[in-house]
Amino acid sequence: MAMCVTLNVDGTLTPTGQTVGECTGYVLVSGSEYGVYQVMQDALTAPTSDQALGWFFGAWGLVMIMYLAARCVGAVVSMFNDK
């Protein structure tokens, strides 16, 4: 659970009793809370240009592979159509 603290002159921390939303000092969080914040920060960061290119060409490549596979299957099926 997060706690609002102030830093004293001698370097110690003192809890203020304020809510986290109204904290005028520092917010002290537990290790598990920090882990959640770190995961969310990583998930919401903008991708690098290499990552964006990888996602774009990966999706484009998947569409092209599926198109070519469907075209090959269509060619085989059309051989068996009697018209």
Side-chain angles (χ1 to χ4, degrees), residues 11-66:
T12 60
L13 297 174
T14 304
T16 62
Q18 295 175 321
T19 62
V20 175
E22 299 171 353
C23 185
T24 57
Y26 296 97
V27 177
L28 189 65
V29 295
S30 67
S32 61
E33 287 175 320
Y34 178 76
V36 171
Y37 297 147
Q38 189 65 38
V39 167
M40 290 303 297
Q41 179 72 23
D42 291 343
L44 296 176
T45 56
T48 63
S49 60
D50 290 337
Q51 290 171 333
L53 283 173
W55 278 101
F56 176 75
F57 285 115
W60 180 79
L62 178 65
V63 169
M64 289 304 296
I65 289 170
M66 297 305 271

